[in-house]
Amino acid sequence: MRRGSVICPTLAILNESDMDNLLLKNGRLVNIFTGEIVKTNILVSSGKIREIGPYLSGEEEIDLKGSYLLPGLIESHIHLESSLLSPNEFSRLTLLSGTTTLICDPHEISNVLGIKGIYYLLKATRNLPQDFYFLIPSCVPATKFETAGGKIGLKEMRRLLKEKRILGLAEVMNFPGVISGDKEILGKIRLVQKSGRELVIDGHSPGLRGKDLAIYLFSGISSDHESVNAEEAKEKLSLGMWIMVREGSAAKNLKDLLPIINWRNERRLLLCSDDIHPEDLLKEGHLNAILRKGVSLGIDPILLLRMATLNPATYFPLRNIGAIAPGYRADMTIVKDLKDFRVLMVIKNGAVVAKDGEIATSLKGYELPNKSTFRVKGLSLERFLVKDERKVIKVIKVLPGQIITKKELVVPKVKEGEVISDTERDILKLVVIERHKGTGNIGIGFVSGFGLKEGAIGSSVAHDSHNIIVVGVKDEEIFSAAKRIIEMRGGMVVLGRGKIKELALPIAGLLSDKKAEEVISSLEEMGDWARKLGCQLVNPFATLSFLALPVIPELKLTDKGLFDVEKFQFVPIFGD
């Protein structure tokens, strides 16, 4: 209650039923609207900000001792599945980093389970102490050149659009289809536009410029997170796009986009992580880590904070969050300073949910039924055999630190009429095994760049359809790795010298049901063992996961065969 003043009738009526007044006193409020920092008190009631001022009291009081009060941070674009963590664990780590609201694109799990995957995430996040919102994936399956487990068409979209936590259509990756007038993708866009709700249509348009960009925007798409240089981002900004400045585990664009991050443009700028790995979440943080890096690069912290609070709330739009003001939801992150952004406390809907690096509330999740998503038929060692045709073979050449590949033509190593791996030239056998519909499809190819001298590396995380992918020296080792992945109901495996290191991913073959610390420990053990077996890559699983994606140049392998992205067609292993 305000001391020394008369309570207005509205507050008097509210006070009759509201007995949960919380006073946050002696805090430095970062006013997102004006850019000012003011030492003041904040009164919270019924999960909302009631008053701001120096002369307030509450039934419960917390002395912030000069710490900074920020609006709860808002993630504008992320694939939860890239963390390999269950929704509970993902929530724990992002909450400890000060994130109170997330907008997720469930593209990965949808390619495995279709609409069931989205409903699983809606249920799994319903009672967590954060707000999880979702966009409907626009391209499931991603292409017709691979076998996916799910499909999101107009029928599924109509069902999902009834869900309040669905905010629109996720990144429209098929920008060539939009430009050429593809009826399927345009039909999805029109369905969202005619839904009667205020929904967004997110974009995905790497390198798109000029007339093609104008056509893309004319369709109704309004954002992009794929800009990798300031010139591209500036053109998109000038045409009215919202630019999501991405700083994730793999793609890091913050530094390159520095020239556009200024007070002239800030109203249309957002921060996002897109994909983030568990070790980065645990050791560095989430959006607070991006804020920290931004300040180190010389960006004004207030500008950065707007990109992670008010701007995403405005874009989506999410009412009454993104700022600290009377009537706004009491979602707040308290940090020690505006340099390191070390989180001291997180308040969600007026309740303390995290404090001093610990969760202060229960994480009530929902787990996917204990059911395998693997339906593999016709798997046998004999099917990995590649008979020599006395011709050169096409080899997928991995480029370190990149997801694009190159095509090489080499004379294969042959033994008893069979093409085999050649460790001296770093040419290894690669297989992709269909695991969703029991088609029996097995794609076989060869890859260079892994450096394995013995053993095999396999995973059920293989973009975008997430079939089983294994690279190895001997067929027996490849076969053993694939079998183990199926037995675990999904996961990652490194085996060789009679030993096996593994991480089970039983939730759709994509997510672990273990603590983040256990997941990270397993990843480190597998990485160490892969290096002992000769692997030269910093993150072999990340590289492996993109070798089955037939939309990234130049040569890729799916369950249906070797795919030349430049020619946009399947090609035989042999011949030029």
Side-chain angles (χ1 to χ4, degrees):
M1 296 173 62
R2 186 188 297 271
R3 292 175 178 171
S5 65
V6 177
I7 301 176
C8 77
T10 300
L11 292 183
I13 293 171
L14 290 173
N15 279 330
E16 291 178 4
S17 58
D18 295 346
M19 301 299 291
D20 59 346
N21 293 342
L22 169 66
L23 182 71
L24 302 171
K25 63 181 184 180
N26 300 322
R28 288 187 172 92
L29 170 63
V30 177
N31 191 311
I32 292 298
F33 298 116
T34 66
E36 298 173 299
I37 299 175
V38 182
K39 191 170 183 179
T40 189
N41 299 339
I42 296 177
L43 185 63
V44 174
S45 183
S46 295
K48 295 182 179 180
I49 308 295
R50 173 170 286 187
E51 293 183 77
I52 298 174
Y55 305 112
L56 299 171
S57 63
E59 295 167 3
E60 180 184 354
E61 297 185 354
I62 298 176
D63 191 344
L64 298 181
K65 300 178 181 179
S67 300
Y68 289 82
L69 272 161
L70 319 176
L73 304 180
I74 303 173
E75 167 65 74
S76 58
H77 175 74
I78 194 167
H79 303 276
L80 178 157
E81 303 96 317
S82 65
S83 72
L84 304 178
L85 303 175
S86 68
N88 271 27
E89 272 299 279
F90 180 78
S91 177
R92 178 173 74 92
L93 295 188
T94 52
L95 193 62
L96 290 174
S97 300
T99 305
T100 56
T101 301
L102 303 104
I103 292 87
C104 305
D105 176 358
H107 174 83
E108 312 298 349
I109 200 167
S110 298
N111 268 290
V112 176
L113 294 172
I115 194 170
K116 292 181 180 178
I118 301 175
Y119 279 123
Y120 159 68
L121 289 179
L122 284 167
K123 290 178 180 178
T125 58
R126 180 181 295 158
N127 296 316
L128 293 174
Q130 288 169 302
D131 288 320
F132 281 84
Y133 296 96
F134 297 90
L135 302 180
I136 302 173
S138 62
C139 299
V140 177
T143 74
K144 62 182 179 180
F145 307 112
E146 54 194 321
T147 305
K151 179 182 179 181
I152 304 294
L154 295 180
K155 178 182 178 181
E156 290 79 12
M157 285 183 63
R158 290 187 183 95
R159 287 181 59 190
L160 289 166
L161 286 171
K162 297 176 182 178
E163 298 286 339
K164 292 182 179 179
R165 288 193 287 140
I166 295 292
L167 300 183
L169 190 64
E171 52 178 318
V172 180
M173 296 183 288
N174 186 11
F175 60 88
V178 174
I179 295 165
S180 64
D182 179 83
K183 291 183 179 180
E184 182 178 359
I185 189 61
L186 291 179
K188 292 178 179 180
I189 292 172
R190 297 293 175 262
L191 180 62
V192 171
Q193 291 172 328
K194 296 178 180 179
S195 67
R197 297 174 56 194
E198 194 174 0
L199 302 174
V200 303
I201 302 171
D202 269 358
H204 170 111
S205 53
L208 198 62
R209 309 286 294 273
K211 182 178 180 180
D212 286 346
L213 176 60
I215 296 172
Y216 188 68
L217 296 178
F218 182 74
S219 72
I221 295 163
S222 54
S223 71
D224 181 72
H225 60 272
E226 292 289 341
S227 294
V228 297
N229 61 68
E231 184 182 0
E232 176 186 350
K234 186 176 181 180
E235 180 178 350
K236 290 174 177 176
L237 269 173
S238 71
L239 297 178
M241 286 192 100
W242 293 76
I243 299 299
M244 296 178 179
V245 179
R246 176 175 56 186
E247 188 72 14
S249 292
K252 299 179 183 294
N253 308 131
L254 181 63
K255 186 175 181 179
D256 291 329
L257 296 183
L258 275 178
I260 69 157
I261 304 175
N262 54 57
W263 293 106
R264 295 189 301 275
N265 301 330
E266 62 87 16
R267 289 181 61 191
R268 309 288 283 192
L269 300 178
L270 316 173
L271 291 181
C272 80
S273 51
D274 196 3
D275 293 294
I276 189 164
H277 300 159
E279 60 271 24
D280 292 333
L281 265 180
L282 184 66
K283 297 174 183 178
E284 301 296 328
H286 183 211
L287 292 171
N288 62 327
I290 305 179
L291 295 174
R292 185 186 312 127
K293 182 173 181 178
V295 170
S296 74
L297 292 172
I299 307 173
D300 188 302
I302 305 298
L303 193 159
L304 284 165
L305 282 168
R306 284 184 180 170
M307 294 169 65
T309 56
L310 186 61
N311 290 2
T314 303
Y315 168 65
F316 277 99
L318 297 168
R319 307 301 183 194
N320 299 321
I321 68 169
I324 299 174
Y328 275 65
R329 194 183 304 165
D331 293 357
M332 291 174 280
T333 296
I334 293 91
V335 299
K336 184 178 180 180
D337 56 51
L338 299 184
K339 180 181 178 181
D340 294 326
F341 292 93
R342 182 167 71 86
V343 175
L344 304 176
M345 185 184 302
V346 181
I347 295 173
K348 182 75 182 77
N349 293 329
V352 176
V353 293
K355 184 177 181 181
D356 299 328
E358 300 289 337
I359 297 296
T361 186
S362 62
L363 295 174
K364 298 178 180 178
Y366 166 88
E367 296 306 324
L368 195 65
N370 188 20
K371 185 178 180 181
S372 175
T373 58
F374 286 72
R375 298 171 184 84
V376 179
K377 291 184 180 180
L379 184 62
S380 66
L381 187 60
E382 292 74 21
R383 294 200 61 196
F384 295 163
L385 176 69
V386 178
K387 292 183 179 180
D388 180 33
E389 295 185 9
R390 298 191 179 186
K391 298 178 182 178
V392 295
I393 59 170
K394 300 177 184 71
V395 173
I396 302 169
K397 183 179 180 179
V398 167
L399 302 178
Q402 299 187 49
I403 61 175
I404 64 170
T405 62
K406 291 294 184 180
K407 178 175 66 176
E408 287 187 321
L409 298 175
V410 302
V411 176
K413 182 177 181 179
V414 179
K415 183 179 180 181
E416 298 177 356
E418 177 186 348
V419 178
I420 61 174
S421 295
D422 184 350
T423 56
E424 291 184 3
R425 290 187 294 167
D426 187 21
I427 299 172
L428 304 175
K429 186 172 286 186
L430 179 72
V431 304
V432 175
I433 303 164
E434 194 278 316
R435 61 106 162 177
H436 303 293
K437 299 179 178 179
T439 62
N441 290 347
I442 298 179
I444 302 176
F446 290 87
V447 63
S448 68
F450 277 84
L452 278 177
K453 299 300 182 183
E454 52 189 317
I457 301 173
S459 177
S460 57
V461 177
H463 302 291
D464 275 329
S465 293
H466 301 293
N467 290 302
I468 299 169
I469 186 166
V470 187
V471 60
V473 176
K474 296 180 180 179
D475 288 357
E476 292 82 2
E477 294 165 323
I478 295 172
F479 183 66
S480 295
K483 282 183 63 179
R484 184 58 190 145
I485 290 169
I486 296 168
E487 290 168 356
M488 291 191 296
R489 294 182 289 127
M492 298 175 169
V493 170
V494 178
L495 60 80
R497 300 182 190 173
K499 293 184 180 180
I500 184 167
K501 304 294 181 181
E502 62 189 31
L503 169 64
L505 300 174
I507 304 175
L510 301 175
L511 305 176
S512 171
D513 56 359
K514 303 297 183 184
K515 285 282 192 180
E517 291 81 357
E518 295 179 63
V519 172
I520 294 167
S521 177
S522 294
L523 289 171
E524 290 174 347
E525 287 182 2
M526 289 189 296
D528 290 342
W529 192 237
R531 282 185 285 275
K532 289 180 180 179
L533 296 174
C535 185
Q536 302 169 351
L537 297 172
V538 175
N539 191 338
F541 287 106
T543 301
L544 192 63
S545 71
F546 283 102
L547 292 183
L549 185 58
V551 293
I552 305 294
E554 181 171 38
L555 195 62
K556 296 297 166 73
L557 181 70
T558 79
D559 66 296
K560 296 183 179 182
L562 196 61
F563 192 79
D564 189 316
V565 181
E566 301 295 323
K567 295 180 179 179
F568 217 58
Q569 65 183 30
F570 288 104
V571 293
I573 295 176
F574 292 95
D576 56 5

